[in-house]
Amino acid sequence: MPGTGDKHPRDLSNVPWWVRDFLLALGFLTRLPVSAIDPGDRKLLRAGWCFPLVGVVVGAVGAVAVWIAYSVGLPLMVCGLGALAGTALLTGALHEDGLADLADGFGGGRDKASKIAIMRDSRIGTYGVLALILVTGLKAAAIASLVLSAGVVSACIALIVVHACARGLILPVALLLQSASGDGLGEMAGKPKLSTVQVSLGISAALLLIMLPAFTAVIAAAAGCAVVAVIALLARRHIGGYTGDVLGAVEQAAEVAILLALAARMAGGT
């Protein structure tokens, strides 16, 4: 698993199942030095109920980066870019890589086979570069706007919520779509159960309602769900389902949509 660096997974069969699930998700979704575990027949997406909890960890790192940059008097755009740099370092730019691959594949492929082949190519193309530039710019600008209009504390809270909810929205796509290929991460990660998706969405919704005003939370949730639905429909049209890159793109699209919705809402003074 990315981020573990341990070639000999440890047997944690005596550890509570929910701790094993969290470590499995944390070890895959970040590069934190989490001891590798032996998941047995436990697939990654079966542990996806705790993806929002991993998002809280990632968002907290981004929040700390914003706080430090703001405290030393750096420009607001630098605060935003600092948050993105911190979270990318923590995750190894896992989801950003998926977004770039999806943009290259959907933009440059002629049919399903060629699109999947392009997505698996380690090289990045023009569409991928443009997608990363656009998404990075939008996220940095939204964070800067949040700091300006709502204050640094509210911006930090928003970052934690955004990262949690964006990861929570990965699960519905994996549940509703079929794997687009017989191998790769999308296949190896398994299929989440409906109950797993419900818990993931429940945690995301709880964080939204606890940490944000109710109407703002509803707007943020609607924005995230809408853009994820668009990505899911595009994936079904282009390649007939999802891959690991599609799920990464889902997370990035949700981040952008929720951040922009929060920035627009809070710029209005609410």
Side-chain angles (χ1 to χ4, degrees):
M1 293 186 297
T4 63
D6 190 341
K7 296 181 180 179
H8 304 287
R10 293 168 53 189
D11 180 10
L12 298 183
S13 57
N14 293 326
V15 176
W17 66 270
W18 53 272
V19 175
R20 296 198 304 271
D21 276 3
F22 181 72
L23 291 176
L24 177 62
L26 189 67
F28 186 86
L29 296 178
T30 75
R31 293 195 175 274
L32 288 174
V34 180
S35 295
I37 65 171
D38 181 3
D41 59 357
R42 186 72 164 170
K43 300 293 187 180
L44 176 65
L45 290 179
R46 293 292 179 89
W49 64 269
C50 57
F51 280 11
L53 301 180
V54 177
V56 169
V57 176
V58 177
V61 170
V64 169
V66 168
W67 183 276
I68 292 173
Y70 182 81
S71 298
V72 300
L74 293 176
L76 297 185
M77 276 298 291
V78 176
C79 294
L81 290 171
L84 300 185
T87 56
L89 286 172
L90 180 63
T91 63
L94 176 68
H95 304 302
E96 288 86 350
D97 180 69
L99 172 68
D101 287 342
L102 180 140
D104 281 334
F106 288 9
R110 296 182 302 276
D111 52 28
K112 174 181 176 179
S114 64
K115 289 172 183 178
I116 291 178
I118 292 172
M119 291 164 71
R120 289 179 173 175
D121 192 328
S122 61
R123 294 170 295 182
I124 187 170
T126 303
Y127 290 108
V129 170
L130 289 174
L132 290 177
I133 291 173
L134 178 62
V135 165
T136 300
L138 288 174
K139 288 195 290 186
I143 295 169
S145 176
L146 284 169
V147 175
L148 177 64
S149 61
V152 66
V153 174
S154 294
C156 290
I157 291 172
L159 272 172
I160 294 172
V161 173
V162 166
H163 279 277
C165 294
R167 284 161 179 79
L169 288 171
I170 290 174
L171 272 292
V173 176
L175 176 68
L176 296 174
L177 296 182
Q178 297 298 317
S179 175
S181 62
D183 55 5
L185 176 61
E187 181 68 22
M188 292 186 296
K191 194 79 172 173
K193 294 182 178 180
L194 176 59
S195 59
T196 304
V197 177
Q198 290 171 333
V199 173
S200 174
L201 293 178
I203 293 173
S204 300
L207 288 168
L208 276 169
L209 292 172
I210 290 171
M211 302 180 80
L212 297 175
F215 189 58
T216 300
V218 170
I219 291 175
C225 290
V227 75
V228 166
V230 171
I231 298 294
L233 289 172
L234 286 172
R236 187 172 67 175
R237 175 186 173 187
H238 282 273
I239 58 175
Y242 75 90
T243 65
D245 289 329
V246 170
L247 299 183
V250 162
E251 192 279 337
Q252 285 292 289
E255 266 192 53
V256 172
I258 299 173
L259 271 173
L260 290 176
L262 291 178
R265 177 70 178 163
M266 292 184 182
T270 55

